[in-house]
Amino acid sequence: MKKIVPILGLVFLFAMSVLTHGELKEQTQLVDIVHLMEEQEVQIENWRLYTRGTGKEVRDIHEYEEELEQMMASEKNFQWDLKDWKQHEHWKVTGTNDVEKLTVVAYPQEEQYSMYLIYEFMGTGNPQDVETITSFFLKRLDQLYVETPTVFTTVTGYHEEIKPSLMYDFGSELVEKFSAEKIEELKEETFISISAYNEQWEDSLNTNGNNMNLQVALRQDPRLGAKTTITIGTPIITTEY
């Protein structure tokens, strides 16, 4: 069974409104996470960069369609799913290609609709040129958003030789190597989660009166032998783990 830290749901719901924003060049720790995983002999399985930004306000569905048509015209390498996009209380259209996902959403707000653009850039396996990936991603943000959005970085991998009794120590070592201070933690026999704060990173969110911008989770499934799944996210993990 996959487990999620109890605080994750609440944290994610409020993350967008409480995050502090840094400069665009500081908006992803993908390079740091990948390099540390490689150093610790963690085999990377997948990675994901996620962001969400506020777009224009539209008066009605016709203005939403106009904005959507402009997006589709500028992003011609996407396959757009227009099936059942008119929901009861909101409108949602998603475009995808091999490594990117764009979602254009509009929610009712008083007498208008607020538009949001959700952008994801993802891949499987170990990214071979993480610096180039990061550079491409940040350029895409500059193209897609007027204001600098907050980036959520998540990388998942596995290690074959971590004993259950040493999972917490391994997770603590990862936090220490990020020069972060532990804020919250959850310890179970086959599952460890540690939330921490690195004062050198610009983005952070508040949980129980403390700033945090790093989550490290380790999970073992007895059915898979000694394999340990390791997920690292900043400012929080945004996927199941």
Side-chain angles (χ1 to χ4, degrees):
M1 291 288 293
K2 292 183 176 180
K3 299 185 178 181
I4 303 179
V5 177
I7 66 167
L8 177 58
L10 291 175
V11 167
F12 186 70
L13 288 176
F14 293 102
M16 297 298 175
S17 61
V18 298
L19 286 165
T20 58
H21 299 284
E23 296 298 325
L24 187 62
K25 64 184 178 63
E26 300 293 343
Q27 286 292 301
T28 172
Q29 276 75 45
L30 181 64
V31 173
D32 296 338
I33 295 175
V34 168
H35 287 172
L36 181 58
M37 281 187 159
E38 291 174 339
E39 177 186 309
Q40 297 299 307
E41 299 181 345
V42 177
Q43 303 300 311
I44 296 175
E45 295 182 302
N46 58 74
W47 50 271
R48 177 175 181 257
L49 298 169
Y50 170 97
T51 192
R52 168 182 168 176
T54 304
K56 298 180 179 179
E57 290 188 346
V58 294
R59 290 177 298 179
D60 50 36
I61 196 169
H62 300 295
E63 286 192 1
Y64 172 80
E65 289 179 315
E66 290 177 359
E67 295 294 331
L68 181 63
E69 288 175 0
Q70 292 181 19
M71 175 66 67
M72 294 172 63
S74 64
E75 303 294 340
K76 295 181 179 179
N77 64 327
F78 282 76
Q79 296 293 321
W80 294 92
D81 183 5
L82 298 173
K83 183 180 179 181
D84 300 326
W85 63 270
K86 299 178 183 179
Q87 307 296 325
H88 292 297
E89 295 186 356
H90 67 277
W91 309 314
K92 178 181 177 181
V93 175
T94 298
T96 58
N97 59 32
D98 290 340
V99 295
E100 295 175 282
K101 182 177 180 180
L102 269 174
T103 303
V104 185
V105 188
Y107 288 97
Q109 187 174 25
E110 297 179 351
E111 297 181 357
Q112 300 185 101
Y113 285 80
S114 292
M115 289 184 60
Y116 298 90
L117 179 62
I118 301 170
Y119 176 62
E120 299 174 65
F121 186 47
M122 66 204 83
T124 58
N126 193 347
Q128 297 301 309
D129 191 344
V130 67
E131 286 83 3
T132 299
I133 288 172
T134 299
S135 177
F136 171 82
F137 176 77
L138 296 179
K139 287 179 181 178
R140 289 291 281 141
L141 296 191
D142 194 40
Q143 295 169 355
L144 294 169
Y145 297 98
V146 175
E147 297 183 359
T148 302
T150 298
V151 176
F152 294 81
T153 306
T154 302
V155 184
T156 299
Y158 67 91
H159 199 294
E160 296 280 9
E161 300 179 356
I162 303 176
K163 296 179 180 179
S165 60
L166 297 178
M167 282 175 47
Y168 178 76
D169 291 339
F170 192 90
S172 297
E173 183 179 356
L174 292 177
V175 170
E176 183 178 343
K177 285 184 176 296
F178 277 118
S179 299
E181 177 185 355
K182 294 179 183 177
I183 302 300
E184 295 179 346
E185 58 185 40
L186 176 65
K187 295 172 63 176
E188 297 182 0
E189 184 177 355
T190 59
F191 178 71
I192 301 293
S193 177
I194 303 172
S195 299
Y197 177 67
N198 182 331
E199 64 180 13
Q200 301 300 318
W201 294 348
E202 295 290 341
D203 288 337
S204 65
L205 56 90
N206 188 278
T207 174
N208 296 328
N210 295 306
N211 289 329
M212 63 166 286
N213 53 17
L214 171 67
Q215 279 193 318
V216 176
L218 294 88
R219 177 175 54 84
Q220 286 191 353
D221 187 337
R223 296 170 299 179
L224 302 177
K227 180 179 178 180
T228 302
T229 299
I230 300 169
T231 304
I232 301 176
T234 67
I236 58 173
I237 296 171
T238 56
T239 59
E240 288 190 348
Y241 54 92

